[in-house]
């Protein structure tokens, strides 16, 4: 086929684009997942691919293996098909259906289909399949990785309540035993319980640390969150721990205040700060709150306590090391984790404290998800 005929074939594909799409859709609708899709969703970026094929034919050069790099249509198509539930075999079947209807068009309108035309058609289709499948597979792998990280985090979160209850029961049991009935055996068992609670706490720290490491590699799941019910739910869950030390928990979050955040990470941030505050406060008050700082376009969240406070020598290092910061073997997950979670949202953390006067930990969240640099 001459260059002139190649141009004619290019014009034919461009002119018959709608007919090609109709034939292609009829074939693809035979796939179980595609039969109920509306026409715009089914069509997706295939018209762009047909246009690319037409362009490739119009500039075909036998001396080059690839004249024109494909545009983003296969990449976007792969992502869209993953989103609506196509499997990879169905994705490839779509492109092979397009290959079939284009070659069928050529055979019906051209006396003889030479090598250059079929080579170009197959090259563009195969390249599209490769790009779409690679994008599909990469995102699928990332989604699985993210789901695993989220699952680990949820498991860690769920473990906190029973583990905290065990710790509380152990402390209450020890206090309830009068000295005249305590024995070396009972004390040894209570000490064993305490050590194993600490060991389990360490395992939870490792799980959450893995979630922190994943945060830098994945997109946060951002949503507008009402802060009051989130904080109140946490206070209800942690209340038994506070009762052991006669600590009062107070929610000072305005009922209508919202912020954009990853709900899972925000929960862990508040939970960590509240747990740490309880561990350092006996017969006092722990308050969780938030303020609307419109002039800075942020929401400032905070947790304060009336506990022992932090010395001036330590206050500059409290966020530096990934370790539990509690003194009772409680459920703290490390203030360095708090810092990483907050910074993942584009926020900042700070602390104000004085020995004997308690501490206040603050962190900021954005109003607008566009402020978050991921």
């Amino acid at each position: 086929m001459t260059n002139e005929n190649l141009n004619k074939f290019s014009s034919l594909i461009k002119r018959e684009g709608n007919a090609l799409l109709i034939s292609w859709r009829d074939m693809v609708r035979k796939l179980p997942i595609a039969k109920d899709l509306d026409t715009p969703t089914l069509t997706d970026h295939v018209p762009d691919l047909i246009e690319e094929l037409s362009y490739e034919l119009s500039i075909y050069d036998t001396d080059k293996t690839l004249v024109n790099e494909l545009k983003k249509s296969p990449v976007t198509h792969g992502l869209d098909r993953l989103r609506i539930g196509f499997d990879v075999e169905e994705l490839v079947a779509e492109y092979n259906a397009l290959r079939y209807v284009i070659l069928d068009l050529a055979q019906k309108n051209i006396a003889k289909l030479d090598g250059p035309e079929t080579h170009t058609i197959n090259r563009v289709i195969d390249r599209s399949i490769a790009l779409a499948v690679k994008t599909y597979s990469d995102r699928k792998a990332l989604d699985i990785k993210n789901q695993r990280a989220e699952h680990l985090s949820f498991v860690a979160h769920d473990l906190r309540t029973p583990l905290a209850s065990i710790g509380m029961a152990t402390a209450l049991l020890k206090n309830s035993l009068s000295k005249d009935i305590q024995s070396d055996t009972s004390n040894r068992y209570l000490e064993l319980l305490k050590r194993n609670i600490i060991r389990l706490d360490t395992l939870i720290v490792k799980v959450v640390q893995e979630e922190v490491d994943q945060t830098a590699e994945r997109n946060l799941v951002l949503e507008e969150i009402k802060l009051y019910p989130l904080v109140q739910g946490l206070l209800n869950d942690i209340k038994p721990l506070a009762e052991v030390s006669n600590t009062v928990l107070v929610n000072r979050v305005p009922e209508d205040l919202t912020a954009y955040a990853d709900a899972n990470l925000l929960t862990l941030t508040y939970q960590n700060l509240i747990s740490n505050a309880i561990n350092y406060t006996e017969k006092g008050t722990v308050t969780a709150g938030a303020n609307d700082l419109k002039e800075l376009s942020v929401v400032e969240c905070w947790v304060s306590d009336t506990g022992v406070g932090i010395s001036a020598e330590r206050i500059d290092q409290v966020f530096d090391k990934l370790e539990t910061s509690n003194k009772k073997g409680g459920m703290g997950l490390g203030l360095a984790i708090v810092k990483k979670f907050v910074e993942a949202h584009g926020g900042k953390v700070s602390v104000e404290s004085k020995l004997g006067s308690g501490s206040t930990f603050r962190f900021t969240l954005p109003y607008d998800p566009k402020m978050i640099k991921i």
Side-chain angles (χ1 to χ4, degrees):
M1 182 178 282
T2 64
N3 286 338
E4 181 180 355
N5 283 335
L6 279 172
N7 288 330
K8 288 182 179 179
F9 188 30
S10 170
S11 299
L12 174 65
I13 291 175
K14 191 171 185 179
R15 185 174 64 252
E16 297 295 325
N18 287 335
L20 284 172
L21 276 176
I22 292 171
S23 298
W24 173 79
R25 284 196 294 261
D26 288 342
M27 291 189 67
V28 174
R29 284 200 186 278
K30 296 177 182 179
L31 297 173
I33 195 171
K35 63 181 181 180
D36 295 325
L37 291 180
D38 59 83
T39 298
T41 301
L42 178 64
T43 302
D44 197 46
H45 292 82
V46 173
D48 297 330
L49 183 59
I50 292 174
E51 186 177 342
E52 290 181 46
L53 177 59
S54 174
Y55 179 71
E56 286 277 357
L57 283 168
S58 70
I59 60 171
Y60 185 83
D61 186 341
T62 56
D63 295 329
K64 296 181 180 180
T65 58
L66 187 62
V67 178
N68 179 49
E69 285 292 337
L70 291 171
K71 299 176 184 177
K72 66 179 182 179
S73 58
V75 172
T76 308
H77 188 73
L79 290 177
D80 287 346
R81 285 326 197 211
L82 173 62
R83 178 178 55 81
I84 61 178
F86 274 62
D87 61 33
V88 70
E89 291 85 0
E90 291 166 330
L91 178 64
V92 173
E94 283 191 301
Y95 282 104
N96 283 328
L98 182 62
R99 189 199 313 268
Y100 175 85
V101 297
I102 290 174
L103 290 174
D104 184 62
L105 175 70
Q107 290 172 351
K108 290 178 178 178
N109 290 272
I110 299 172
K112 182 181 180 182
L113 197 63
D114 292 331
E117 303 87 67
T118 55
H119 173 76
T120 300
I121 293 169
N122 287 324
R123 183 189 65 191
V124 175
I125 298 294
D126 290 342
R127 174 65 172 158
S128 298
I129 291 174
L131 285 174
V133 168
K134 183 179 185 304
T135 306
Y136 179 103
S137 301
D138 288 349
R139 180 56 63 86
K140 184 73 172 180
L142 181 60
D143 288 347
I144 292 173
K145 185 177 181 181
N146 289 345
Q147 289 169 7
R148 178 175 178 271
E150 290 171 3
H151 175 71
L152 287 172
S153 181
F154 283 127
V155 168
H157 179 275
D158 290 342
L159 284 173
R160 292 169 65 85
T161 299
L163 186 57
S165 297
I166 294 171
M168 179 182 64
T170 302
L172 291 174
L173 179 60
K174 184 174 183 180
N175 292 334
S176 67
L177 293 175
S178 60
K179 291 185 178 181
D180 59 328
I181 66 171
Q182 289 185 18
S183 65
D184 291 341
T185 300
S186 63
N187 287 333
R188 186 167 66 253
Y189 286 156
L190 288 170
E191 193 61 33
L192 179 64
L193 276 172
K194 182 179 178 180
R195 286 199 304 271
N196 279 282
I197 289 170
I198 295 174
R199 289 179 61 190
L200 288 173
D201 183 39
T202 301
L203 291 175
I204 292 176
V205 171
K206 291 181 179 179
V207 170
V208 177
Q209 183 177 354
E210 182 172 341
E211 168 69 7
V212 174
D213 294 338
Q214 296 290 340
T215 298
E217 302 176 14
R218 70 177 176 89
N219 291 334
L220 302 180
V221 181
L222 299 175
E223 55 185 315
E224 189 175 20
I225 298 172
K226 291 185 176 181
L227 296 179
Y228 181 89
L230 182 145
V231 170
Q232 189 59 48
L234 283 173
L235 295 182
N236 292 338
D237 291 341
I238 298 175
K239 187 177 180 180
L241 294 178
E243 290 177 345
V244 172
S245 57
N246 295 315
T247 301
V248 177
L249 302 180
V250 179
N251 187 349
R252 291 282 185 242
V253 178
E255 293 187 5
D256 59 347
L257 185 60
T258 63
Y260 279 93
D262 183 303
N264 183 37
L265 298 192
L266 178 58
T267 298
L268 289 172
T269 298
Y270 257 123
Q271 190 171 43
N272 188 29
L273 292 177
I274 295 170
S275 296
N276 284 343
I278 292 172
N279 288 328
Y280 284 95
T281 305
E282 189 169 354
K283 297 181 180 179
T285 302
V286 171
T287 304
N291 297 315
D292 184 353
L293 301 183
K294 293 182 179 179
E295 68 278 8
L296 300 178
S297 296
V298 298
V299 173
E300 181 185 63
C301 305
W302 47 272
V303 174
S304 66
D305 63 68
T306 59
V308 298
I310 305 170
S311 67
E313 294 76 20
R314 280 195 61 228
I315 199 165
D316 291 335
Q317 287 81 42
V318 293
F319 294 106
D320 291 348
K321 293 182 180 180
L322 189 58
E323 58 185 12
T324 55
S325 58
N326 59 73
K327 62 178 181 178
K328 302 180 183 178
M331 298 302 296
L333 294 176
L335 294 173
I337 285 180
V338 167
K339 182 179 180 182
K340 286 191 176 184
F341 283 175
V342 173
E343 289 180 348
H345 289 82
K348 296 181 180 180
V349 294
S350 63
V351 58
E352 304 160 9
S353 186
K354 185 178 180 181
L355 279 178
S357 300
S359 306
T360 298
F361 288 85
R362 303 179 188 276
F363 63 94
T364 58
L365 296 172
Y367 277 127
D368 190 335
K370 295 178 181 178
M371 296 170 59
I372 302 175
K373 296 179 181 180
I374 300 174

